[in-house]
Amino acid sequence: MTPANLYTALVACAVAFVLTAAIGPAVIRYLRKMKFGQKILEIGPKWHMNKQNIPTMGGFMFIIGIAVAVAAGNSFAGEICMSSLAVLGLAVAYGAVGMVDDYAKIRKKENAGLTPKQKLVLQILVAGAFILVLFLGADSAPRLWIPFTNIVFIWPWPLYIIFAAFVIVGADNAVNLTDGIDGLAAGVTLPVALFFTFVGIARGDAGVVIFAAALAGGLSAFLIYNFNPAKVFMGDTGSLFLGGAVAGLAFACDMPLILLIVGLIYIIETLSVILQVTYFKATHGKRLFKMAPIHHHFEMCGWGEKKIVLTFSGITVLLCLLAYFVALAPVLP
């Protein structure tokens, strides 16, 4: 762990936190002025109806903060770290897809923007562009490390491209599904960002350090406005940005399968939806959960939003510690 990378992380984190926190009130006022309010599904928990018209697309505040922090981090490092720019590019591109989706919802005045097919096509195109950057910057065949082992597979590029596209698009949608109650997506992603920050520091990867630390700082500031009771929602603009950020960091560290550990909450949220739909169709109307994604099931069981966020975030903290000290420590060098 070099002092230079630690200082770089502190600079990127601090810049993202201060800027996101500072512009938050102005962003919220602007969204209210433009009447960019969230529309709540009638089939959702009835107590969510009081969130109707709370400003959405608030992800802009941490996207701006993170982008400026990445620039500041590169300047402080004294070099252009391409991995930080590549991950930022992936995240911003997915944020743009989310922005289009959010704007379509606002224009239609309902909680349905782009069709699933339209969103999927755009997500695949963005993933393809990121993989192309990986391919052009590679000097050898791609490697796939298996967590908890020292096993590394060398993959042919065609097979790796298919795998990478599946992981990136899957992660993006999984984070999007996790964004269902105040502070949940930000609260769960914060420890993941810190995990990648420390991985980057341990490996001496300044690009990963800069982006991951900026992500942690931006999310910490966003939670000031998004923690229950939320003053603003991140919208698909923010949640798709976060999905791209998490997937991009995993590939920048050359360890995409680590998402199975640190991103377990995202995976459970996604599986709960898949299982609910499958069971509903197979049983002609019966439900496996009271409501999916699973955070709504816990709400229907009487859990408060704060309890769900703190529990899910706490589980993610433990998973990140497990991944770092058990799965990663022997292979980090």
Side-chain angles (χ1 to χ4, degrees):
M1 183 181 294
T2 63
N5 280 330
L6 181 58
Y7 295 149
T8 302
L10 292 173
V11 168
C13 184
V15 170
F17 179 87
V18 171
L19 184 56
T20 301
I23 67 175
V27 170
I28 293 172
R29 284 196 300 271
Y30 177 78
L31 293 173
R32 283 177 179 160
K33 179 180 178 181
M34 298 300 294
K35 298 183 179 180
F36 286 175
Q38 178 70 43
K39 303 303 176 185
I40 305 298
L41 287 172
E42 293 183 1
I43 61 172
K46 301 304 179 185
W47 53 89
H48 278 207
M49 295 307 295
N50 62 4
K51 301 183 181 186
Q52 187 87 352
N53 295 322
I54 289 177
T56 188
M57 298 176 73
F60 272 122
M61 67 176 72
F62 62 74
I63 292 174
I64 294 170
I66 291 168
V68 173
V70 167
N74 276 277
S75 177
F76 184 82
E79 60 179 312
I80 297 177
C81 303
M82 294 308 297
S83 56
S84 67
L85 299 181
V87 178
L88 178 62
L90 175 66
V92 168
Y94 274 133
V97 174
M99 180 186 69
V100 172
D101 191 38
D102 283 334
Y103 187 69
K105 292 175 186 177
I106 292 166
R107 289 199 62 182
K108 295 178 182 178
K109 296 184 178 181
E110 59 184 46
N111 198 3
L114 296 173
T115 66
K117 183 179 292 187
Q118 288 172 331
K119 187 182 290 187
L120 181 61
V121 168
L122 289 173
Q123 288 174 315
I124 291 173
L125 290 174
V126 171
F130 179 72
I131 295 166
L132 179 62
V133 172
L134 290 181
F135 176 75
L136 294 176
D139 53 7
S140 61
R143 304 183 307 162
L144 183 66
W145 169 69
I146 308 300
F148 296 103
T149 75
N150 286 320
I151 298 172
V152 177
F153 288 106
I154 306 299
W155 282 31
W157 268 106
L159 187 60
Y160 189 79
I161 288 170
I162 296 172
F163 165 76
F166 175 80
V167 172
I168 293 170
V169 174
D172 200 46
N173 283 303
V175 177
N176 185 228
L177 286 172
T178 306
D179 181 34
I181 59 177
D182 298 358
L184 184 58
V188 169
T189 305
L190 177 56
V192 177
L194 290 171
F195 165 80
F196 281 115
T197 301
F198 284 103
V199 169
I201 291 172
R203 296 178 64 166
D205 189 329
V208 170
V209 169
I210 290 168
F211 185 87
L215 180 62
L219 289 178
S220 298
F222 182 69
L223 281 168
I224 296 172
Y225 308 104
N226 184 239
F227 194 70
N228 183 264
K231 302 178 182 66
V232 66
F233 299 135
M234 67 173 67
D236 282 3
T237 303
S239 61
L240 292 186
F241 174 94
L242 294 185
V246 168
L249 284 169
F251 278 95
C253 292
D254 205 20
M255 49 179 66
L257 291 185
I258 204 67
L259 292 176
L260 294 173
I261 304 171
V262 301
L264 184 60
I265 291 295
Y266 306 139
I267 295 169
I268 291 173
E269 292 276 13
T270 303
L271 287 177
S272 70
V273 174
I274 295 171
L275 290 172
Q276 182 85 321
V277 172
T278 303
Y279 188 78
F280 185 85
K281 291 180 178 179
T283 59
H284 305 289
K286 293 183 179 179
R287 299 178 186 275
L288 192 60
F289 304 104
K290 292 184 178 181
M291 190 176 179
I294 201 167
H295 56 260
H296 288 318
H297 170 80
F298 285 110
E299 276 193 285
M300 303 290 271
C301 290
W303 285 36
E305 291 189 42
K306 291 179 181 177
K307 181 178 180 179
I308 296 170
V309 171
L310 292 175
T311 301
F312 283 26
S313 300
I315 290 171
T316 303
V317 168
L318 294 177
L319 290 168
C320 288
L321 290 173
L322 171 69
Y324 189 86
F325 290 110
V326 178
L328 289 177
V331 298
L332 275 175

